[in-house]
């Protein structure tokens, strides 16, 4: 495979898992446990997460991946005629081959902007409540946002509070997709957001493992009582209940036993901000001012071709200024790799 | 956890994976690969499987688990008004929380018997073809069977040939669920069935990993051209496309690089037949004459309670003779464990 | 059309509507009304039905046909992983091309018997509650029965009371499909069942129009508060909300303004019982002892062919005694027609 | 009902049916026919439509209403991961409570413009074909447009030809929703479009009855061979196969026996254009330059309130100039009514 010989910067899931996870896997391999996520490793992992969330009153379930988590969470919350509100570029709207629609639900795009605002939600709900033809329209019942967003942008604590307030006013669930959640806490001075704030800021969310140092897995955290009761039935029905559920437990056991999840997040973002600053110094244009592990640069076709001989970038889009590429740092990225990349500019 | 201290014999997925798989996981952990199952490890694993199948003309996809594989295979083959034929005790009919129905398809139970026969299928199809109200009835379009079955029973090569013949006659797909396929080849003298026969005996099947020594994963093998083209879209839509798809590749790379899959199958069944013979000698009644790694015994409530102090068995059913329990051997079961179990009778 | 020249006895929907309905249609044709069933004719019709039910506290909606009503009622009540319990021969299980499964729900057949008993439901629920693998199984949440059944049989008031009691005990909805409900009240001495009893005997039901003298239409009656609130959204989403909803209102306005519905039921059943008695006198075997408008006779192939030159019967099944045919009387059947039919035996 | 006393101009389905249809209903009421749309009246009606289409090689099915027709046509054409392209204001996208999504399919909005262009479709398809992440995205497979559109606008023959050409280039089905098709042929000088052109301009369409003088019903016309074969199974599964299918046949028998459908279309549009011209003379602003039976006017809140004392208008939207209202003419509208309405300006 030619591409294997290039250095990959296109995404944050090109390597395996953090060594601690591999070690735990080896250590527990011959341990006998019950299946389907009801084992003692999963139990411990849940305790660790609850401790970090400073909240005992949440339900936690480990799922296999992001699409599956989005699909199951949404389908478990909505009545057949209800839909989920998001931005046009929302992951569920763009990159999941209709996984949500396959469960019968419409995704309602509120804006081409990259972030939701309380005003957008309020406007939608006001129209909905006053619509004389209300029964002819899909009813918005959930708001979906990702943190960081598809473009690596963050919401501040205040923004999330305001969004959640309007959700509660109109009886909408707020769901935070945290596929890259580890990278949302490195800019505390800007966001004022801590991990432990999240249970108070939404009804359901998931903590991403796959893109944050795990082999795979997402930890769904449920705050709202309505969503708790039957969640395991939904998991099973959508084909996402692992026989050896402890494998998922192992990932989060290690990530949350101490502070590994947050250390990975911190280190990974620092590397991304390093490359961002260096690129800016070299005059490379940024498509978006991202403070997370995804950086979007605008380069010429020639530059892109040149770099592509040594590195794999993610081709995102084009505009009049050139080609927009995404580069990602991950738990496994080294400064040496980035310096080698920077040397090409 | 109290139960963790007992020895588990209730199923074949209480431990992690065969050490070879763990080693490969360690070895490849820092290798960079592309995502979504298009990496070189998956490619190699597919080659190994094709070699064992002696067939280059099949498509292979690695999926996460059995429910997911069943759901995706079935949904990818059927039009909305078409259904799948199976036995009453078929796994898809009994133990998947409506995963198939969730994709809109009816499961049609042909019999309370534990195995399908060509005659049952022929009878159904004849009725269907002659039904003056045909448009008012779900159209059978696929036959599902598991090998071994839910009760650990095998089909012979001749039986599968005859079933496939009637399927082709009536333009039905034949789908073999091989969640425990490794255990289907240890009785060649009775079944005359080899692994390499399978591509000629059905349209689509999967080779079980989870219950046969892998951490997790099933390898879907597609023979029928109709099913090949769009399969990856279905995988993605149903939430089953892993970002780090290589993890699935690693399982099957090791299982099929040489003969590990079949060695696991052989050893595991031998242990099961050992325990079966010893139990028979001791006068323990068998519910079913199984030649695979699942054995079903009938014992008194008192005996069950006594054994349950040291072992976890799977409580299956009751009849007038007593309690029906399942015991399973797995890749990790030892003769010592079984001797200890046998000493309780 | 050859068949048009034969006299049709195969079903109860071969003619148009009772003349009163046609007259109301003519009378109101130029009246302007709002759409979607919110007009004054529908309102009046609902009042009439409530009066006959002696119950003001029910919600009524007019739907187009039986399949649609079954699909919408069931889908509106169940969570994705919940299913509906019925007999093997239940209409939803046999004759609707998977309309219920298309909404994602499994139909669970409890018995090959033609009627449900409280014991069957109790047994299912007990197993369900004690199932250690409960999350791996579709959860029964609704009981479906038809009155009269698919084979024209009736439940007594006592039977329905007992079934409803067990439903309430296990928190199941009871849904009565009354596609031929008009024919369920002609044997009061046997059933002790009055129309006005029904709101106390189930959670939701529908009153059939199509097979009981209307052009088309079924009146859904909702007792359970959970089902009431969002029902119109479900109707719209499943494509069953008529623009000129008043057409449905007209059917039930006429049927329930006075006693037309019950008069049609009485007369139609009397004719069926007449033909039944006469056939018995002539030594014709009955497949089932039906007291409603459907009669099932067993005749030889020769007899069937002979009768089929003049009459259309419904070919139902075969057994060792001969061919099983269904004959139906309808609001439009005359005694002359039946005498002509009887003269062939 | 207060509103019943006002004159309704808000939509084109406030009255019953054209008298010819009522008469045919009376005339055929006691005729015995087979059910489910296989009767001789339906057969005749299909022949009449084919004659008007000058095409014998189409399949025709009569369905109950627009939502149902849209849902069934779309669901019958698409694989699970495929979607349908339309404008933001497309009826299926806005006013059907998620009926399409309920069958598992995404609706992809291409534009906020009111009409599709070949360029929009071409652009989407080019992106789709070149997308390296194609498997992560819903695949566009059908184009939906309505004729006239939701805002009463027409496509010319040339525009449809160009759209169909690009559909064929990219292997997309073209589906024309003709809920108000009768009103699409009154401006031949502008559109150059004849009814008989339609089978050559799309793969599937429906001819609206409900809004064009029928009691109810839409006639689906299928040109593409792929869509023909199983269509009746889809109708049944979605709850849309009428027992007394002849009722739908009667509508189209009368509308197409001679030229009634087109006469209704012509007269209705003439009245709409009359009111449009008179309003323009009086200085009333039009929101859209419509040449069909829907007219959109912009008036002040005061004017709206004043008119609303005597007439029911459809409140559509607001902009900085005032309130946007829709008024419709129908087969039953009289010039006297319109003059009365005009006298209020």
């Amino acid at each position: 495979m030619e591409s294997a010989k290039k250095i990959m910067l296109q995404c944050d899931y090109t390597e395996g898992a953090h060594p601690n996870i591999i070690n735990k896997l080896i250590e527990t391999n011959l341990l006998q446990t019950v299946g389907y996520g009801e084992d003692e490793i999963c139990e411990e992992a849940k305790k660790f997460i609850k401790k970090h969330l400073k909240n005992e009153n949440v339900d936690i379930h480990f799922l296999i991946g992001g699409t599956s988590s989005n699909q199951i969470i949404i389908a478990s919350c909505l009545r057949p005629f209800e839909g989920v509100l998001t931005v046009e570029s929302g992951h569920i709207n763009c990159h999941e081959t209709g996984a949500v629609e396959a469960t019968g639900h419409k995704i309602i795009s509120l804006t081409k902007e990259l972030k939701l605002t309380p005003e957008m939600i309020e406007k939608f709900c006001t129209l909905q409540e006053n619509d004389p033809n209300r029964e002819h329209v899909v009813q918005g019942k959930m708001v979906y946002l990702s943190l960081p967003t598809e473009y690596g942008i963050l919401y501040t604590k205040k923004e999330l509070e305001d969004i959640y307030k309007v959700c509660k006013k109109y009886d909408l669930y707020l769901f935070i997709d945290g596929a890259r959640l580890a990278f949302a806490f490195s800019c505390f001075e800007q966001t004022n957001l801590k991990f432990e704030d999240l249970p108070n800021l939404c009804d359901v969310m998931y903590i991403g493992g796959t893109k944050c140092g795990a082999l795979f897995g997402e930890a769904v955290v449920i705050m709202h009582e309505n969503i708790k009761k039957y969640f395991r039935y939904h998991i099973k029905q959508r084909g996402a209940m692992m026989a050896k559920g402890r494998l998922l437990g192992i990932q989060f056991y290690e990530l949350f036993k101490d502070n590994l999840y947050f250390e990975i997040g911190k280190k990974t973002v620092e590397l991304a901000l390093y490359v961002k600053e260096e690129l800016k110094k070299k005059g490379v244009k940024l498509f978006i001012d991202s403070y997370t592990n995804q950086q979007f640069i605008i380069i010429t076709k020639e530059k892109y071709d040149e770099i592509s001989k040594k590195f794999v970038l993610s081709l995102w889009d084009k505009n009049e200024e050139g080609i927009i590429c995404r580069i990602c740092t991950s738990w496994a990225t080294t400064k040496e790799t980035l310096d080698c990349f920077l040397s090409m500019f």
Side-chain angles (χ1 to χ4, degrees), chain A:
Chain A
M1 301 281 286
E2 176 62 15
S3 71
K5 290 164 193 163
K6 295 185 196 173
I7 297 171
M8 294 183 179
L9 285 175
Q10 79 270 36
C11 70
D12 34 21
Y13 40 87
T14 54
E15 291 94 358
H18 190 279
N20 292 13
I21 291 171
I22 302 292
N23 289 336
K24 184 74 179 175
L25 207 59
I26 299 167
E27 174 198 325
T28 58
N29 193 47
L30 285 177
L31 182 74
Q32 283 198 313
T33 65
V34 297
Y36 306 115
E38 297 191 307
D39 60 278
E40 55 269 34
I41 305 172
C42 285
E43 285 314 303
E44 285 298 305
K46 290 176 188 179
K47 277 186 203 160
F48 293 149
I49 293 175
K50 287 180 186 179
K51 206 175 146 199
H52 280 282
L53 286 170
K54 297 187 178 166
N55 192 317
E56 286 300 312
N57 195 30
V58 299
D59 276 9
I60 299 179
H61 302 271
F62 300 121
L63 294 181
I64 280 163
T67 305
S68 182
S69 301
N70 287 329
Q71 184 181 52
I72 293 169
I73 290 170
I74 293 169
S76 73
C77 289
L78 302 184
R79 297 180 187 92
F81 56 87
E82 293 174 341
V84 52
L85 311 178
T86 182
V87 296
E88 184 82 16
S89 59
H91 195 75
I92 51 169
N93 196 38
C94 294
H95 290 112
E96 298 193 323
T97 323
V100 171
E101 289 87 356
T103 68
H105 299 287
K106 191 179 189 72
I107 298 169
I108 300 166
S109 163
L110 289 187
T111 177
K112 286 188 185 291
E113 298 293 313
L114 301 181
K115 281 169 67 177
L116 286 175
T117 64
E119 291 73 27
M120 292 171 188
I121 302 166
E122 179 106 37
K123 187 181 164 197
F124 175 88
C125 292
T126 310
L127 280 171
Q128 179 168 285
E129 294 209 337
N130 296 316
D131 187 347
N133 296 311
R134 186 162 184 178
E135 290 153 350
H136 296 246
V137 180
V138 171
Q139 298 298 296
K141 182 66 182 173
M142 177 180 253
V143 170
Y144 164 97
L145 58 85
S146 46
L147 181 71
T149 71
E150 198 75 359
Y151 279 87
I153 310 176
L154 294 172
Y155 286 85
T156 67
K157 182 177 177 183
K158 178 67 168 61
E159 287 172 333
L160 292 175
E161 282 170 346
D162 291 347
I163 286 173
Y164 196 33
K165 203 183 289 175
V166 72
C167 286
K168 284 199 267 199
K169 178 174 171 190
Y170 290 102
D171 203 19
L172 306 177
Y173 296 111
L174 179 56
F175 163 30
I176 297 180
D177 168 346
R180 290 190 171 92
L181 193 62
F183 313 127
F185 305 105
S186 51
C187 312
F188 182 72
E189 60 286 0
Q190 286 162 279
T191 64
N192 198 31
L193 181 73
K194 293 182 190 162
F195 185 65
E196 67 203 61
D197 294 329
L198 289 171
N200 305 315
L201 292 173
C202 64
D203 297 304
V204 58
M205 65 175 194
Y206 68 88
I207 303 166
T210 307
K211 294 172 180 172
C212 305
L215 280 177
F216 64 107
E218 325 291 314
V220 176
V221 184
I222 308 178
M223 276 62 74
H224 200 297
E225 294 303 320
N226 285 3
I227 314 176
K228 288 180 178 175
K229 187 166 181 192
Y230 298 106
F231 202 75
R232 279 177 59 84
Y233 292 94
H234 291 283
I235 294 175
K236 178 66 189 171
Q237 188 184 45
R238 302 293 174 191
M241 190 175 277
M242 287 196 82
K244 300 184 181 177
R246 73 210 217 155
L247 299 177
L248 292 164
I250 286 168
Q251 317 295 315
F252 289 93
Y253 182 100
E254 287 301 321
L255 291 172
F256 286 89
K257 186 179 58 173
D258 300 310
N259 287 304
L260 184 58
Y261 192 69
F262 304 101
E263 288 161 11
I264 285 172
K266 187 161 182 292
K267 185 208 138 195
T268 304
V269 174
E270 278 171 6
L271 286 172
L273 297 183
Y274 167 70
V275 81
K276 173 185 179 184
E277 286 313 307
E278 294 301 311
L279 286 168
K280 276 165 73 175
K281 284 183 202 160
K282 288 168 183 275
V284 177
K285 275 202 180 140
L286 299 174
F287 179 61
I288 272 174
D289 186 28
S290 160
Y291 288 82
T292 64
N293 78 317
Q294 301 182 77
Q295 297 294 326
F296 296 83
I297 60 174
I298 309 176
I299 52 179
T300 61
K301 177 78 171 69
E302 292 70 36
K303 198 70 196 169
Y304 175 77
D305 289 342
E306 184 195 334
I307 296 174
S308 293
K309 286 176 193 151
K310 288 186 73 172
F311 290 90
V312 187
L313 310 182
S314 178
L315 199 53
W316 209 255
D317 205 347
K318 271 185 261 192
N319 68 12
E320 63 292 346
E321 299 184 277
I323 288 177
I324 302 164
C325 296
R326 184 181 73 167
I327 55 175
C328 290
T329 53
S330 84
W331 71 271
T333 307
T334 62
K335 187 161 176 302
E336 289 65 39
T337 296
L338 297 178
D339 284 336
C340 172
F341 173 68
L342 288 165
S343 72
M344 302 204 65
F345 291 88

